[in-house]
Amino acid sequence: MTDDAAAVPPVGRLAPSPTGVLHLGNARTFLLTWLCVRARGGTLLLRIEDIDGPRVKDGAERSTLDDLRWLGLDWDGVLLRQSDHLARYGALVDDLLARGLAYPCVCTRKEVEDAASAPHEDWLDTAPYPGTCRGRFASPADARVATGREPAVRFAVDVDRVPFTDDFRGAEKGRIAGDFVIQKRDGEPAYQMAVVADDHRQGVTQVVRGDDLVPSTPRQLLLYRAFGWTPPRFAHLPLLVGTDGRRLAKRHGDTSLGAFRARGVHRERIVGWLAACSGLAALGEELDARALLERSRGEPAILRKVPHAPVVVRGDEF
Ligand code: GLU
């Protein structure tokens, strides 16, 4: 980041998907996102990413907000809920279709996976799209009539790399494999479309999120380019993992904040531990989010202290 960029207070966001309860892993990402913005006097927005159809769970929005507040994290203004803005995302998709930058696609996920000759490489989060439907239909209506299937919409990718500088990871090659979905067959926007539309509309200048989303960033940068919008800066942080080295999940036991709370673990222990495994406190130190903020205020390089190796959760931390 240049000194000039560091001098302007950032606009960041917390963007939880209400698909379950917050666990230590999400909590660390949110704590660091909050800290990076607040320490530089920036604005932090809250966006509920609730358009992920079947994965969204009743009650998860409420429990996420409760957990964020319990951790001591705050945000500015009213929250934005993506499901309230479906028409807006649809209009952007229509614009890309009209400009020939996107096209209807009737392939199922299984068909795309079967078409991939070998298991896809580690760096990619889905099987590369072989381009079956590119140039095949004049419009979504045409695709529907021709196949009897409800089409999704894909963005047409004509490059194989969109290099970018990650504020945590450094130079990224930004590899991208094929056309990606921007609108699902049920008409809902895909994550890539909604997140770009909202980050732009909300004036977000700094995105701090988990490194599971690294493969998404080049796709999002292409959407920014297509709309002529300035992208935010990105920092992708390593996720917490279990003792098997895999991303922290239910199989590693209950690391939800709710479970610790129910056992009477104080938030200062949790925040202290999250700060310690981020290089921002000593192990065993107890402190709340405010105290951590006071310690970090004005610090332009908080992320430089965060270790690059994944943090292993053993299950006996609290
Ligand atoms: N809602 C996404 C998630 O919870 C985060 C998206 C983002 O930060 O871009 O994984």
Side-chain angles (χ1 to χ4, degrees), residues 13 15-17 30 47 49 191 195 199 207-210 212-213 220 247:
R13 50 32 167 217
S17 299
F30 289 137
R47 186 165 74 227
E49 305 213 317
Y191 157 70
V195 82
D199 281 338
V207 170
V208 177
R209 59 189 179 190
D212 53 327
L213 289 169
Q220 293 171 15
R247 173 181 177 176

Side-chain angles (χ1 to χ4, degrees), residues 2-80:
T2 62
D3 289 346
D4 280 358
V8 179
V11 179
R13 50 32 167 217
L14 302 170
S17 299
T19 53
V21 294
L22 285 202
H23 57 62
L24 283 180
N26 326 111
R28 181 170 93 134
T29 308
F30 289 137
L31 177 65
L32 290 174
T33 304
W34 176 85
L35 194 61
C36 285
V37 170
R38 290 288 185 236
R40 289 175 47 212
T43 304
L44 188 67
L45 306 169
L46 175 66
R47 186 165 74 227
I48 303 294
E49 305 213 317
D50 62 344
I51 48 172
D52 202 357
R55 292 181 57 231
V56 170
K57 297 213 173 57
D58 279 352
E61 176 182 320
R62 160 65 60 97
S63 72
T64 298
L65 298 187
D66 287 349
D67 283 343
L68 290 173
R69 288 195 190 97
W70 183 77
L71 269 181
L73 309 189
D74 61 349
W75 52 89
D76 302 304
V78 284
L79 67 83
L80 182 150

Side-chain angles (χ1 to χ4, degrees), residues 104-106 139-141 143-144 149-153 183-187:
C105 168
V106 294
S139 64
R144 206 171 286 128
R149 290 185 185 181
E150 202 52 50
V153 177
Q183 183 172 280
K184 296 180 267 186
R185 49 191 10 194
D186 63 6

